[in-house]
Amino acid sequence: MPYNVSFIPLGCAKNQVNCEQMMATVQHAGHNVVLSPEGADVAVVNTCGFLASACEEAIDNILEMAELKKEGKLKKIIVTGCMAQRYKDDVLHELPEVDAVLGTGSYGEIARAVDEVMAPGGLRPCYMGDIQNCVQGGARILSTPSWYAYLRIAEGCDNCCAYCVIPRLRGHYRSRPMNELLDEASELASAGVKELIVIAQDITRYGTDLNGKHQLAALLRELCKLDFHWIRLHYLYPDDITDELIDTIAQEEKIVPYLDIPIQHCNDDILKAMNRRDTKESIRKVFHDLRARIPGLVLRTSIIAGLPGEGEKEFEELCDFLREEKIERAGVFPFSPEEGTKAATMEHVPMEEAQRRTELLVDVQSDIIDEYNESVLGDVREVLCEGWSEEAQSFVGRSYAESVDIDGKIYFSAERDIMAGEFVNVRLTGTMDGELTGEAVE
């Protein structure tokens, strides 16, 4: 019997791909994928479990589904993903409204779980498959707008940073075979995807687990042969950025000069304690080499304030580093001592102080963004239109310098209707609340 199944994706783009695969699996099994959980037979909450705050968001969503269930507007709730993997017992014991739990090694069991929770008899399945050997590929139902899509090239992580639980939730680093990736990418291009966003926990490591060699540059050259307009890269680790990769990014016109390189900090002692392989000078050298060889490069990074070992001196060093390097985009987060990590056992500042430092870093970064925005006024940028903003009463889109969801937008006027998914040249003329504005030029 076909059931109506709704999916609630939480967390990162890699999690979103898992959700798209589950949607395809459920549909292939004969069920209907529906947008709203209200009125559905089953709601699947695909959770993030990277930080305590992400788990709190997941629990809030589960409780919202539980309220629908109580009101008779939803029959069953299935919890999947990283929080399910990390806190399986807690979910089963503390959330009696949940009817099934699937870990990160068991996404392929989703159709089976739907059938079991809907069958008479009250089964409460719990699947925790091998996270080291689960299938990575498979059919997807895209949940993104038609003009962009993600290509996840690997699963897991071997970096083992002291503050991070990802290896415990996703397993060791496992690259997908290149021919499998090219087949999937070809399907995306044929479906009309214009911006391909290449993702993994660490894309620079791609291929090293297969034959000991870095293969990202070779993969990118093959992807550039397909009918994409832009190819965007998330995330690159500084110490694995090779000369071949830099040359490929510089030479291939489809690869946008925008690189997301998480550094987390710049102090050498903190980096070493957090099991990062970089030093401040090695990070600085990578940034300088990239800027020298890739014209118009926009850098993005992630910073954690209040890491173990960070006193006022180390914090000021971090602020100075950001001012000196003028990294155009940065996500700044307070340190969260995650259960089971080495960093959680180390001495660190209270959460309130970490939050205060986060806000100060955001202020530093805001000045850098304002300076960057001022420097590009008058430039003409190719912009991917993403529709019309009723609030701003203008078209809205992104250039190569703005990635999906995490960066700002460009608001622009035009003398004709611009379709969502259409590329248009925009002259940048001003700013609005830290975001760029402009006018389309033909």
Side-chain angles (χ1 to χ4, degrees), residues 102-403:
L102 276 64
T104 56
S106 296
Y107 290 113
E109 302 290 347
I110 184 62
R112 179 180 175 186
V114 167
D115 288 337
E116 288 179 343
V117 298
M118 292 300 297
L123 285 178
R124 200 183 188 205
C126 177
Y127 294 112
M128 292 285 146
D130 184 358
I131 62 173
Q132 309 292 356
N133 294 294
C134 52
V135 176
Q136 292 192 56
R140 296 160 57 187
I141 295 177
L142 296 184
S143 57
T144 51
S146 61
W147 51 85
Y148 76 84
Y150 298 104
L151 180 70
R152 190 180 61 195
I153 66 173
E155 180 61 283
C157 188
D158 284 345
N159 288 310
C160 297
C161 301
Y163 48 80
C164 185
V165 298
I166 293 296
R168 292 174 52 206
L169 304 181
R170 294 285 183 166
H172 293 303
Y173 192 89
R174 297 162 337 267
S175 302
R176 294 176 61 190
M178 191 178 299
N179 61 340
E180 179 183 302
L181 291 171
L182 294 176
D183 286 345
E184 182 174 335
S186 180
E187 291 180 8
L188 294 172
S190 296
V193 169
K194 297 179 180 179
E195 180 182 14
L196 184 73
I197 305 176
V198 178
I199 60 171
Q201 198 65 32
D202 174 6
I203 64 172
T204 42
R205 192 183 284 261
Y206 176 74
T208 57
D209 58 309
L210 299 177
N211 65 1
K213 298 178 182 179
H214 290 89
Q215 297 183 52
L216 179 60
L219 172 63
L220 292 175
R221 288 193 293 270
E222 292 302 313
L223 290 173
C224 286
K225 296 175 184 178
L226 300 174
D227 192 20
F228 299 112
H229 194 84
W230 284 348
I231 296 177
R232 190 180 297 274
L233 310 181
H234 290 272
Y235 309 89
L236 301 92
Y237 274 63
D239 65 315
D240 270 331
I241 296 176
T242 64
D243 284 335
E244 181 191 16
L245 178 58
I246 296 174
D247 288 341
T248 300
I249 295 168
Q251 293 165 6
E252 293 287 355
E253 291 185 1
K254 291 184 179 181
I255 302 176
V256 296
Y258 170 108
L259 299 177
D260 191 344
I261 307 174
I263 63 169
Q264 313 305 359
H265 214 280
C266 71
N267 176 266
D268 288 351
D269 291 338
I270 293 175
L271 290 169
K272 184 177 181 180
M274 294 301 102
N275 204 33
R276 302 282 295 187
R277 298 183 296 273
D278 316 299
T279 64
K280 180 162 73 172
E281 286 311 308
S282 71
I283 294 169
R284 197 189 300 275
K285 183 179 185 305
V286 167
F287 285 172
H288 289 191
D289 287 349
L290 289 168
R291 290 197 189 279
R293 294 163 64 179
I294 303 174
L297 177 66
V298 167
L299 288 173
R300 179 175 180 84
T301 195
S302 299
I303 301 290
I304 302 175
L307 281 168
E310 185 189 83
E312 286 295 340
K313 179 183 175 183
E314 291 80 11
F315 176 66
E316 286 301 325
E317 180 183 355
L318 178 57
C319 292
D320 289 342
F321 183 83
L322 287 178
R323 293 187 188 103
E324 292 163 6
E325 293 303 318
K326 298 186 184 301
I327 300 168
E328 290 85 354
R329 315 277 190 233
V332 186
F333 309 94
F335 171 62
S336 174
E338 293 301 313
E339 180 184 357
T341 64
K342 181 180 177 183
T345 68
M346 300 178 181
E347 187 175 348
H348 55 85
V349 297
M351 175 58 78
E352 293 79 10
E353 176 61 16
Q355 186 61 49
R356 184 187 74 86
R357 294 180 185 182
T358 298
E359 292 168 4
L360 291 173
L361 283 168
V362 168
D363 289 341
V364 170
Q365 190 59 34
S366 294
D367 291 340
I368 295 168
I369 292 172
D370 289 344
E371 183 180 335
Y372 171 75
N373 285 345
E374 288 294 327
S375 75
V376 300
L377 294 183
D379 290 357
V380 174
R381 288 268 172 92
E382 184 180 47
V383 170
L384 174 55
C385 180
E386 295 191 309
W388 174 263
S389 168
E390 286 292 339
E391 182 179 0
Q393 286 295 295
S394 67
F395 295 101
V396 61
R398 298 179 290 109
S399 74
Y400 79 87
E402 294 87 26
S403 193

